[in-house]
Amino acid sequence: MVDMAKRGKRDWRAVLEDSLKAENLESFLFKSEQETEERFGKEGVKSKEVSDSEASSSEDEEGGNQLAELASEKSKERKPAWEDEDDIALKIDVNASRHGRGIQKASDGATLTGVQYERRLRDRHMKLHPRTSWAQVKSRKSTRKRRKVDSSDDEAGINGSGSGASDADDPIDEILTSANVHLGKHKTLPAQQIELSRLLDANRNERTFGFINSIEFHPENQLMLTCGGKDKRVHLFNVDGVENPKMQTVHFNDMRVVKAAFSPSGHQITVSGGGNKHCYVYDIEASTLQKVQSSQRDGCPHLVTFTTSKAPDVPLAAFHGTGGTLPLLCMKSKQWVGTLKMNTGNLVESAVFSRDGKELYSAGSGGTVHVWDLRMRRCRHRWNDDGALKCTSMALSPQEHYMAVGSEMGAVNLYNFDDCRPSGAQNAPAPIKTLLNLTTRIDDMQFNSDAQILAIASQRIPGSLRLVHMPSRTVFKNWPTMKTPLEYVSRVAFSPGGAFFAAGNSKGRVLLYRLHHYGTV
């Protein structure tokens, strides 16, 4: 009987040791009972508890409870995989450290331990780079509870005691009930913070010297054209964000390229230069170059810069001439089809076509915007830009919701486009917002594809680039920063899908960024 009792105690201890090893292995693999429930549901946890209770029914009840408490305490403790013992003894002088001033708190002394220093750096990093909402994984336990509540509410609604609710926050339900992801439609862009990352320069394989004069994405694919400085070439790149290989280079012997732009179809490129009495039209598919001479009767002996229409049915280019003239060139027939003349006698500073190509908006000195009907070749409306003495840049959103007008002093006025048209207000339209984030001449402005972002740039001061969140009409605060290598930004452009943003600067580089909100390039 004594031997049987001793053997029973040994068997009981062996059972406890085996059970403890199993619990430790389970806690290592599944971390805790809570996470086990999240992974396999409550039924799995309950079945494990039942099996444990059945296995330990023959054991001592008190010993089993102590073992369960010990295992649960060990499972709840989550320790790091490795700790450096020297961090505790390490002392760091905050004043001497390069990052000390940014992480020091009022309650801290002159020195911090290694653990405190690491914690301060982590807190500062999370403050500068907060986690986004889409990257945060929601707890399955809370989702499961919410589903049970919704199902109970639905049952109550069927029985007549409730109205029922739907889980709008469930990502699975969002995928099953919406086709936005599959159709490529974008959601509303969040304000204040924009998520982007820098890629290799778009023209890394063939940079130019001096300011970038033109950058533009092809209307249908990832092709980009660039030109700048005193270069006599136009470069074409396949912008993929990885290698950005150069596809082609077009050389012009008698012209310093100032402006280059794709035709509405994307099959041709119109090129003009400074001080020349002619321009060129380059056919990309046929690799042919056609020279177009200017006409003295058009009042524009020198073809410097121009604005192109984006409507395939109206392939026009309006050249910015002296004396307020705007000669119109048909890019299909390569013939001059007319000339518009503003009241002002100075150089035409900026112009933009409507989406259908039937209207042209132009401005110069004096801050007067002229609205032209291209079918009748006459001015139908004029209005003054609010507070502007000279309109240096204009931009129209693709859906024609907004018009942006930049001035010599750096102010950008945003208008409802319907108020700017001849059918709108006959008097000067009132801006819905005036942006005063830049203080020098606005050289370029561009809307992205869905008109949620407006990029404004000035090449007079380094880093003069801002991205405007159009739904809230505020500037993004987190970018650009003081360390962003923008230099003097002269030109900006968005890809057709909105995923790429390019900025050309004074060093002949075209900086390329990936906007994470947009999935289509």
Side-chain angles (χ1 to χ4, degrees):
M1 295 294 293
V2 176
D3 295 338
M4 292 294 294
K6 291 182 179 180
R7 185 180 303 173
K9 290 183 180 180
R10 286 196 295 268
D11 294 340
W12 180 79
R13 291 177 181 176
V15 170
L16 282 181
E17 291 178 357
D18 295 338
S19 180
L20 181 60
K21 291 180 180 179
E23 291 291 336
N24 291 336
L25 179 60
E26 183 181 77
S27 63
F28 176 78
L29 294 177
F30 301 105
K31 303 300 182 183
S32 65
E33 290 184 2
Q34 181 178 359
E35 294 190 6
T36 306
E37 180 181 347
E38 293 178 2
R39 291 180 179 227
F40 303 102
K42 292 184 177 180
E43 295 180 358
V45 177
K46 288 183 180 180
S47 63
K48 181 181 71 66
E49 292 176 354
V50 171
S51 62
D52 291 344
S53 62
E54 292 177 354
S56 60
S57 60
S58 61
E59 301 172 358
D60 183 67
E61 199 171 308
E62 183 179 358
N65 294 335
Q66 293 178 356
L67 182 61
E69 292 178 1
L70 179 62
S72 62
E73 290 179 0
K74 290 186 177 181
S75 63
K76 291 181 180 179
E77 294 179 359
R78 302 188 64 179
K79 297 182 180 180
W82 177 79
E83 290 182 351
D84 191 354
E85 298 177 355
D86 296 336
D87 289 346
I88 302 176
L90 183 64
K91 299 295 181 180
I92 300 174
D93 188 0
V94 181
N95 298 325
S97 176
R98 183 166 61 94
H99 304 285
R101 297 181 180 179
I103 64 175
Q104 189 178 14
K105 296 184 178 180
S107 59
D108 296 337
T111 58
L112 296 176
T113 63
V115 178
Q116 292 175 338
Y117 187 70
E118 180 184 359
R119 188 180 298 112
R120 296 289 188 273
L121 290 177
R122 290 182 180 274
D123 294 341
R124 184 187 181 191
H125 178 79
M126 293 300 298
K127 184 178 179 181
L128 296 177
H129 307 282
R131 294 188 63 183
T132 54
S133 58
W134 60 265
Q136 296 177 358
V137 180
K138 296 182 179 180
S139 174
R140 296 186 181 181
K141 184 176 180 180
S142 60
T143 305
R144 190 177 298 108
K145 288 182 178 179
R146 190 163 56 248
R147 287 178 179 174
K148 288 187 175 182
V149 172
D150 294 339
S151 61
S152 63
D153 291 344
D154 293 338
E155 293 176 359
I158 294 174
N159 296 329
S161 59
S163 59
S166 61
D167 187 8
D169 295 334
D170 190 1
I172 298 178
D173 293 342
E174 182 180 357
I175 294 175
L176 295 177
T177 58
S178 175
N180 289 341
V181 177
H182 306 287
L183 296 178
K185 296 182 180 179
H186 307 305
K187 298 181 180 179
T188 302
L189 181 68
Q192 304 297 328
Q193 305 284 332
I194 185 170
E195 298 180 11
L196 52 79
S197 58
R198 187 182 174 187
L199 306 176
L200 293 176
D201 292 350
N203 64 339
R204 62 184 295 267
N205 293 308
E206 189 71 35
R207 294 175 180 172
T208 59
F209 298 96
F211 281 92
I212 295 294
N213 295 329
S214 294
I215 54 174
E216 185 177 352
F217 284 91
H218 193 276
E220 297 179 356
N221 51 49
Q222 299 179 359
L223 200 64
M224 173 194 279
L225 66 82
T226 65
C227 63
K230 297 181 179 180
D231 200 353
K232 297 182 178 181
R233 297 174 296 174
V234 173
H235 306 285
L236 298 177
F237 299 93
N238 182 22
V239 179
D240 56 3
V242 181
E243 295 293 336
N244 303 329
K246 186 181 72 172
M247 305 301 295
Q248 193 176 8
T249 297
V250 185
H251 184 78
F252 303 90
N253 295 323
D254 57 347
M255 177 184 294
R256 179 178 65 86
V257 180
V258 174
K259 174 74 174 182
F262 285 108
S263 63
S265 62
H267 298 159
Q268 297 176 344
I269 300 176
T270 305
V271 182
S272 65
N276 295 90
K277 296 182 180 181
H278 60 272
C279 65
Y280 287 99
V281 178
Y282 177 72
D283 192 307
I284 301 176
E285 296 179 351
S287 298
T288 58
L289 196 63
Q290 185 174 352
K291 187 176 182 179
V292 180
Q293 285 289 147
S294 66
S295 177
Q296 294 292 338
R297 62 182 179 85
D298 292 330
C300 185
H302 302 290
L303 305 177
V304 180
T305 186
F306 58 91
T307 302
T308 57
S309 170
K310 302 303 179 183
D313 299 335
V314 189
L316 293 177
F319 283 81
H320 304 178
T322 58
T325 57
L326 287 158
L328 301 177
L329 174 66
C330 178
M331 291 182 285
K332 185 176 182 180
S333 63
K334 315 300 186 297
Q335 299 293 325
W336 300 98
V337 295
T339 302
L340 308 177
K341 183 174 175 57
M342 300 191 304
N343 290 339
T344 177
N346 295 328
L347 179 69
V348 178
E349 295 286 346
S350 59
V352 62
F353 282 89
S354 62
R355 182 173 58 178
D356 57 7
K358 297 179 181 179
E359 294 178 352
L360 177 67
Y361 295 77
S362 63
S365 59
T368 302
V369 179
H370 292 69
V371 184
W372 302 93
D373 188 336
L374 298 179
R375 291 170 294 183
M376 295 183 291
R377 303 286 194 273
R378 67 181 182 88
C379 181
R380 294 187 56 189
H381 186 41
R382 287 193 300 268
W383 50 273
N384 293 326
D385 184 27
D386 186 66
L389 298 177
K390 181 185 290 187
C391 302
T392 58
S393 182
M394 301 176 68
L396 183 62
S397 63
Q399 294 79 16
E400 293 188 343
H401 294 158
Y402 306 103
M403 172 176 278
V405 182
S407 66
E408 181 75 18
M409 303 305 295
V412 177
N413 289 327
L414 299 178
Y415 297 93
N416 282 324
F417 183 63
D418 293 336
D419 298 337
C420 302
R421 309 190 75 166
S423 58
Q426 295 301 319
N427 299 325
I432 58 177
K433 179 70 174 182
T434 300
L435 303 173
L436 302 176
N437 300 89
L438 301 182
T439 58
T440 55
R441 172 191 172 101
I442 303 298
D443 293 298
D444 197 14
M445 295 190 300
Q446 291 290 333
F447 284 95
N448 72 329
S449 57
D450 60 356
Q452 293 197 73
I453 304 176
L454 170 65
I456 57 177
S458 175
Q459 64 183 25
R460 299 317 194 257
I461 298 178
S464 294
L465 171 65
R466 298 294 183 269
L467 297 182
V468 183
H469 180 255
M470 289 304 298
S472 64
R473 303 184 187 99
T474 58
V475 174
F476 291 103
K477 296 182 179 181
N478 66 320
W479 193 87
T481 64
M482 295 295 294
K483 296 183 179 180
T484 306
L486 293 176
E487 300 296 336
Y488 298 86
V489 180
S490 55
R491 292 293 177 265
V492 292
F494 290 95
S495 62
F500 287 155
F501 170 69
N505 61 20
S506 57
K507 291 188 175 182
R509 301 172 61 183
V510 179
L511 307 179
L512 187 64
Y513 294 89
R514 178 68 164 85
L515 303 181
H516 300 301
H517 180 77
Y518 300 92
T520 306
V521 176

